[in-house]
Amino acid sequence: MNMPNPKNMPKQIPMPMYMPKDIKLARAYVPNQPYERLFPLDEALKKGTLFANLYQPYDRRNQ
Amino acid sequence: MDMNREQLMRRIQEVEFAVIDINLYLDTHPTHQQALMDYNKLTQELMNLKMMYERQYGPLTNFGYAPSQYPWQWIESPWPWEDEYTCKEDMPCGFMKRN
Amino acid sequence: MWIYEKKLEYPVKVSTCNPSLAAMIIEQFGGADGELAASLRYLTQRWAMPTNQAKAILTDIGTEELAHWEMIGTIVYQLTKDLPESKIVGTPFEAHYVNHGLDVYPHNAAGVPFTATYFNAKGDPIANLHENMAAEQKARATYEHLISISDDPGVIDALRFLRQREVVHFQRFGEALRIVQEYQDSKKFF
């Protein structure tokens, strides 16, 4: 399997650019997703997303 | 480019899937120019692939989105849930069921 | 208006017949956090959404969920296709069979039929979008449970695809939530 190892992918993106300037209490925020690092189309379909920065595969525990 | 039915469908699925994912991105980022350019480029490729598929294997959509040869092609198998839709070249899905 | 496309969003290749697995996968066909509930939840919540981004994302994800519902139905159908009664008796699929035969029907893995009480439209876009984000997380968790109990490589492949879609949808609803929050803030102060 030539799947990229998620451990080699950057886990964090610089937050200030992607979060609102004034964050309020009692609110949920999801960082805005930058448009970058697209998978080739055949790989994207197999993985379930075109976006490498959104790809979060499941590690099956009982294996 | 000489693709059989399954390969052509696979390519359509790949391109359409990318278009879906970019579409959702654009819904919440409507002014992102690169995403919009990618969307338009892939949409053109998808339209060409679907035209190629429909010319050889019949309509993918009905309700006036694609013309039909005689007789009415829309009802022809395989429908997407039927195993000959994807498993034609593998071992038939029913193989192990009867053992 | 909706248009049907005679194709699956993602190819489904089931390796063998497996009525027990089919009886579990049906959770995502007619269960509380399944694809039908997801689709109807988002499409139902569209009407009074305050921003165009939110209207669009609910329409488009709601539509994609119907394609996922079709994939799940296809998995269940193929796992049980042409099964003789002798292969069904004694499996968890037997209870489904006595009522529905080899038709696919929206109930959960425990046999409880689908109901609109699985989702809500709250008359409050912030509350609605939070429900949707929770729904995506619950569906992701269900897919992980299903992947853990599956031994059919073709089924696992499709389940992994569907699970990743939940992650993407969560992100989009999160972005839509921000847009709606900012819209409501701007109305309050100007």
Side-chain angles (χ1 to χ4, degrees):
Chain A
M1 298 282 272
N2 55 348
M3 310 238 285
N5 184 349
K7 287 181 187 108
N8 298 337
M9 291 176 159
K11 281 239 162 55
Q12 291 173 333
I13 50 177
M15 279 305 113
M17 279 172 68
Y18 303 108
M19 289 297 269
K21 276 180 224 94
D22 51 338
I23 290 187
K24 294 189 170 69
L25 292 175
R27 272 197 183 179
Y29 297 96
V30 170
N32 192 20
Q33 184 200 349
Y35 189 86
E36 60 188 24
R37 293 192 297 134
L38 306 186
F39 288 126
L41 301 198
D42 54 341
E43 218 180 312
L45 181 66
K46 271 187 232 149
K47 290 186 156 70
T49 182
L50 181 63
F51 302 109
N53 59 11
L54 260 188
Y55 180 52
Q56 297 173 10
Y58 173 55
D59 293 322
R60 206 170 164 178
R61 263 151 285 181
N62 312 330
Q63 245 181 193
Chain B
M1 196 163 44
D2 206 20
M3 290 187 278
N4 65 26
R5 181 181 188 136
E6 199 182 327
Q7 289 166 330
L8 188 51
M9 174 49 74
R10 179 78 185 197
R11 186 63 192 159
I12 288 171
Q13 284 166 325
E14 286 168 2
V15 178
E16 185 162 325
F17 178 66
V19 167
I20 290 170
D21 227 6
I22 298 173
N23 183 327
L24 297 186
Y25 187 86
L26 281 165
D27 284 350
T28 52
H29 306 80
T31 59
H32 199 289
Q33 297 195 11
Q34 182 62 47
L36 188 60
M37 271 166 53
D38 290 348
Y39 179 86
N40 286 338
K41 187 173 141 264
L42 289 169
T43 295
Q44 191 58 53
E45 185 180 344
L46 182 60
M47 282 160 57
N48 294 341
L49 285 165
K50 282 183 177 172
M51 236 152 54
M52 199 190 306
Y53 182 96
E54 289 179 326
R55 224 180 290 137
Q56 292 179 70
Y57 305 114
L60 284 167
T61 46
N62 59 348
F63 290 0
Y65 278 78
S68 172
Q69 291 182 328
Y70 178 89
W72 181 234
Q73 292 295 295
W74 178 249
I75 63 168
E76 291 297 315
S77 284
W79 286 81
W81 54 89
E82 292 170 337
D83 48 11
E84 56 274 31
Y85 181 80
T86 43
C87 295
K88 214 181 336 182
E89 282 154 43
D90 298 337
M91 190 60 74
C93 283
F95 178 73
M96 292 187 70
K97 291 172 189 170
R98 286 173 194 88
N99 291 334
Chain C
M1 181 79 198
W2 267 267
I3 301 298
Y4 183 71
E5 257 195 290
K6 211 169 160 185
K7 63 187 268 294
L8 295 176
E9 185 184 9
Y10 183 87
V12 169
K13 290 193 190 206
V14 165
S15 310
T16 67
C17 99
N18 191 335
S20 301
L21 183 56
M24 300 302 120
I25 303 270
I26 212 160
E27 179 71 27
Q28 285 305 85
F29 194 77
D33 306 314
E35 301 293 352
L36 182 61
S39 181
L40 294 181
R41 177 181 300 114
Y42 308 149
L43 296 178
T44 299
Q45 289 177 2
R46 296 182 305 155
W47 313 102
M49 269 291 157
T51 75
N52 285 334
Q53 291 94 330
K55 289 173 212 169
I57 207 71
L58 287 168
T59 302
D60 295 348
I61 295 181
T63 300
E64 190 186 353
E65 304 291 13
L66 275 183
H68 297 168
W69 187 65
E70 184 181 39
M71 282 176 63
I72 293 289
T74 298
I75 293 171
V76 172
Y77 169 71
Q78 291 189 1
L79 283 171
T80 58
K81 194 180 167 230
D82 298 333
L83 269 184
E85 277 94 348
S86 63
K87 300 274 186 196
I88 293 169
V89 173
T91 75
F93 191 71
E94 194 174 3
H96 173 99
Y97 182 78
V98 294
N99 192 1
H100 308 293
L102 294 180
D103 280 339
V104 188
Y105 186 81
H107 56 67
N108 72 7
V112 181
F114 183 79
T115 159
T117 55
Y118 287 156
F119 60 87
N120 210 343
K122 203 64 201 169
D124 181 308
I126 301 291
N128 283 347
L129 288 167
H130 277 85
E131 170 176 332
N132 302 349
M133 291 165 73
E136 296 293 336
Q137 292 298 347
K138 290 188 285 178
R140 176 191 56 74
T142 307
Y143 280 120
E144 290 176 9
H145 299 152
L146 286 172
I147 289 165
S148 298
I149 62 154
S150 297
D151 53 4
D152 183 309
V155 172
I156 290 172
D157 184 59
L159 294 176
R160 284 190 184 283
F161 172 88
L162 292 166
R163 178 195 165 282
Q164 177 61 40
R165 295 314 291 155
E166 311 297 339
V167 176
V168 174
H169 294 169
F170 180 88
Q171 173 68 27
R172 296 292 164 256
F173 283 129
E175 289 161 353
L177 175 66
R178 265 263 291 286
I179 291 166
V180 171
Q181 282 168 345
E182 282 166 13
Y183 171 79
Q184 291 190 337
D185 288 349
S186 75
K187 272 206 321 192
K188 267 176 215 154
F189 299 120
F190 297 106

